[in-house]
Amino acid sequence: MNDQRLELSSELMAGGVGLVAAAGYINNEGGQAIADVINRLLDRGAVALLIDLEGTRIINSIGVSILLEVLEKLMEKNGRLAFCNLTPTIARTFEIMGLAEYASIFDDRETAIEELTRLNRAD
Amino acid sequence: MKLTLNLPAVPEVELVAAKAVELVGRDLGLSSTCIESVTVATVEACLNAIEHGNQRGFAVRIETQAAGGERWLVIEVEDHGGGFDPEAVSAPSGNRKHGSAPNRGWGLKLIRDLMDDVDVQSRPGLTIVRMKRRIGGT
């Protein structure tokens, strides 16, 4: 099960885009770890958050629930939440649970950063 | 093919069942997307068994079956908790206004959406979630 251990990295990029890269199993602990990283990026001035899930094959419903809470918090602050590099099953899970209706989904990191930066500058 | 796992109700034990599903799925030549969707459904069923199974452990049975000219991958997750009324379980609201709706309780909804056929039998002391995924013709 070692290959499922969640690895996280984060970066605050120019244009107010906070990037979180998550690889591994996202359950309640993993979801909370991502939420904690996002809160720190928001404290540092991020206004849009991109979560790159390349390397994540399984995210359970509790993990998605925590991301939904992050989304609600961002919506209250008029922030944006986006994802990229989703497997088809994770994308389907986000659709079923309503996350895809309110967050943006991109195929790859470069496209996502470009679009989020453009939107932040337009605000 | 039939595989039975008797698992303790400990954190992340659902990944043992997930790995078993992945290995069986690969052996059957299923696509990675098919394997991942069955894996997520299995993980959700295991989480329900851990949460509602009175900490007594649970069983996961994985097998292939042929019926009606179709081949199926069948996963059963059995626990011995207090049971519940599956007809009374409704998916949470999709309303995303902060605090307006509970974000938990999506497991059964995910299982039903990701698998082709799901049957839940539950009474005090025994719950069996039976999930089927079509894997081809016989």
Side-chain angles (χ1 to χ4, degrees):
Chain A
M1 288 190 289
N2 288 338
D3 59 336
Q4 298 282 6
R5 185 71 54 199
L6 184 65
E7 294 182 7
L8 284 176
S9 63
S10 65
E11 179 182 355
L12 180 57
M13 310 182 77
V17 178
L19 170 66
V20 179
Y25 179 42
I26 301 178
N27 57 0
N28 54 330
E29 290 179 6
Q32 191 55 55
I34 291 173
D36 291 344
V37 168
I38 285 176
N39 284 332
R40 287 195 289 274
L41 286 167
L42 291 174
D43 289 344
R44 291 170 58 199
V47 292
L49 275 303
L50 172 63
I51 302 177
D52 185 340
L53 292 180
E54 187 170 28
T56 290
R57 320 312 296 178
I58 307 174
I59 174 167
N60 72 29
S61 59
I62 304 172
V64 180
S65 295
I66 293 170
L67 296 181
L68 283 168
E69 291 166 6
V70 168
L71 170 71
E72 291 168 357
K73 186 177 176 182
L74 274 169
M75 287 172 69
E76 280 189 340
K77 295 182 175 183
N78 293 318
R80 292 188 178 87
L81 181 62
F83 296 88
C84 65
N85 288 316
L86 305 185
T87 67
T89 299
I90 291 176
R92 177 83 182 114
T93 300
F94 284 4
E95 284 176 17
I96 294 167
M97 294 184 65
L99 190 53
E101 187 178 345
Y102 296 90
S104 302
I105 310 289
F106 295 95
D107 287 341
D108 59 78
R109 185 186 291 192
E110 290 70 25
T111 306
I113 290 171
E114 189 176 314
E115 180 63 8
L116 290 172
T117 303
R118 187 187 69 76
L119 290 170
N120 284 350
R121 286 182 179 145
D123 286 343
Chain B
M1 175 186 295
K2 185 165 185 176
L3 173 66
T4 300
L5 303 170
N6 291 299
L7 300 172
V10 298
E12 297 194 4
V13 74
E14 68 274 15
L15 293 180
V16 176
K19 193 67 179 177
V21 168
E22 181 186 341
L23 292 173
V24 170
R26 273 194 209 155
D27 187 59
L28 291 170
L30 305 183
S31 70
S32 59
T33 297
C34 179
I35 292 170
E36 285 168 6
S37 62
V38 175
T39 297
V40 169
T42 303
V43 163
E44 293 298 330
C46 291
L47 291 173
N48 283 342
I50 292 168
E51 184 173 355
H52 303 296
N54 288 340
Q55 306 297 314
R56 294 172 61 184
F58 60 100
V60 179
R61 291 183 286 275
I62 304 168
E63 64 179 315
T64 54
Q65 293 180 353
E70 303 271 12
R71 288 177 68 226
W72 301 84
L73 177 59
V74 181
I75 319 281
E76 283 187 354
V77 178
E78 175 183 310
D79 74 66
H80 299 276
F84 66 100
D85 179 1
E87 301 305 317
V89 177
S90 57
S93 163
N95 188 342
R96 295 274 67 85
K97 184 179 177 184
H98 187 57
S100 64
N103 283 326
R104 304 299 162 90
W106 285 92
L108 206 49
K109 167 72 173 165
L110 275 179
I111 292 168
R112 285 180 166 140
D113 278 33
L114 292 172
M115 301 296 280
D116 291 319
D117 185 57
V118 177
D119 177 60
V120 182
Q121 300 292 327
S122 186
R123 57 181 166 79
L126 179 63
T127 294
I128 300 176
V129 177
R130 191 164 195 262
M131 307 170 285
K132 295 172 69 177
R133 182 70 181 252
R134 191 179 293 104
I135 56 174
T138 53

